[in-house]
Amino acid sequence: MPLLTNHQRALLLMIIAPTMWSIAGVITRHLDAARGFEVTLWRSIFSALAVALVLGMQQGPRKAVATIRAAGMMGVLSGMMWCTMFTAFMIALTRTTVANTLIVMSIAPLLTAFLAWLVLKQRIPGRTWLAIFAAVAGILWMFVNGMSDVNGDHLVGMLIAGAVPIASAVNLIILKRSGQGVDLMPAVLLGSVFSALLMLPFAWPLQASMHDIGLLAVLGFFQLGFPCLLLVSAAKSLSAPEVALLSLLEVLLGPLWAWLGAGEVPARETLYGGSIVMAALVLNELAALRSLGRKPQLRAVEAEKTKAGSIIDPAA
């Protein structure tokens, strides 16, 4: 018997992934000279190296190249969505606050649930809708006092940040629609390469110190490349809204690491809102696990009923 079911393993991966994503803020606080476009450039380069390393170790160079080719148009589309997320997030941070950016990003579960219903004809459980609304409410509560004026650059930054949840929702639908037939891990590699090429003209001349490059290597490998691969793997066993909902852990944990690693003490609203988000995530997954545990029992009961009916039915 395996220690974890596929759903439980996917759930674990989707806890690890946003936890790794959430270190971006605290690490960028310690950069010397790299800013904006250059941060995205180096982060994307190291993310591409991380994914290439994983694919090469798993499959060998020849098979890895074949896997990238086999991803086809779905892989390219997914790569474009990853590229949009990688670049829009960092550009938004150069035009508005982290709080404003994260507020906009928190609508991702709602967009994902809507697209899953519209495109995949997927029935979204009431508990998931309730958890999504509760989590979004918690995040709004977290940042309500830190919300900056939405004028000028802040408005532009928030509009750019809006590309992140849209691309995230579309990407999750692509991942679910491709199913098990297409390996979309190479899409993370393509997204990283697209992002690096897009940022190169804007990042020149490069100003990052060796200290910065070391930190950006950590971001590329452990904050971007590896956790995005974990999401791709987890998406095979979780619904698109579940993945989007669990991704909100990044928004919850980001301020915590900034507090511990950069001395940014979280406001009371952050603690209250974070409690709401955590409760929504935990209760939704507990309900999902309970539902999955009940299905085998229901099937067993139905089988017993069918068997009993066959015994007493004279026509059997």
Side-chain angles (χ1 to χ4, degrees), residues 25-262:
V26 65
I27 290 181
T28 54
R29 296 293 188 195
H30 296 285
L31 293 174
D32 291 332
R35 294 291 183 270
F37 297 125
E38 188 175 1
V39 172
T40 305
L41 170 67
W42 285 111
R43 192 177 71 141
S44 299
I45 289 173
F46 286 116
S47 173
L49 291 174
V51 179
L53 179 63
V54 170
L55 288 175
M57 292 177 62
Q58 284 184 342
Q59 305 178 7
R62 287 188 178 181
K63 190 174 180 181
V65 172
T67 301
I68 294 172
R69 290 178 177 174
M73 185 54 64
M74 295 294 278
V76 173
L77 289 174
S78 180
M80 291 172 64
M81 294 303 104
W82 284 117
C83 173
T84 300
M85 288 184 277
F86 295 164
T87 56
F89 176 70
M90 297 307 301
I91 294 174
L93 288 180
T94 67
R95 307 300 294 268
T96 188
T97 64
V98 174
N100 290 351
T101 303
L102 292 175
I103 287 172
V104 175
M105 287 173 56
S106 69
I107 68 172
L110 286 174
L111 292 177
T112 304
F114 175 74
L115 287 181
W117 169 77
L118 183 67
V119 178
L120 302 178
K121 310 301 180 185
Q122 185 176 2
R123 177 184 168 275
I124 310 299
R127 59 173 172 77
T128 300
W129 283 116
L130 182 61
I132 288 171
F133 282 111
V136 171
I139 290 169
L140 288 175
W141 180 265
M142 285 171 67
F143 297 110
V144 66
N145 284 350
M147 186 78 169
S148 300
D149 294 332
V150 288
N151 296 319
D153 280 352
H154 287 293
L155 179 58
V156 173
M158 293 180 73
L159 289 175
I160 294 172
V164 178
I166 294 173
S168 174
V170 172
N171 193 39
L172 285 173
I173 299 305
I174 292 173
L175 292 175
K176 294 303 295 184
R177 191 156 194 172
S178 67
Q180 305 289 341
V182 180
D183 185 355
L184 288 184
M185 284 191 176
V188 182
L189 172 61
L190 294 176
S192 300
V193 172
F194 294 160
S195 176
L197 292 175
L198 185 63
M199 290 296 101
L200 183 58
F202 301 101
W204 199 265
L206 303 179
Q207 299 178 347
S209 64
M210 291 305 297
H211 171 263
D212 287 349
I213 292 176
L215 291 179
L216 292 170
V218 172
L219 284 181
F221 275 81
F222 301 106
Q223 186 271 329
L224 195 61
F226 292 156
C228 288
L229 292 180
L230 297 182
L231 180 146
V232 173
S233 179
K236 297 176 182 179
S237 301
L238 297 173
S239 70
E242 275 186 305
V243 174
L245 187 58
L246 288 166
S247 296
L248 291 181
L249 279 171
E250 176 188 6
V251 182
L252 175 63
L253 294 174
L256 175 62
W257 306 142
W259 175 31
L260 297 176

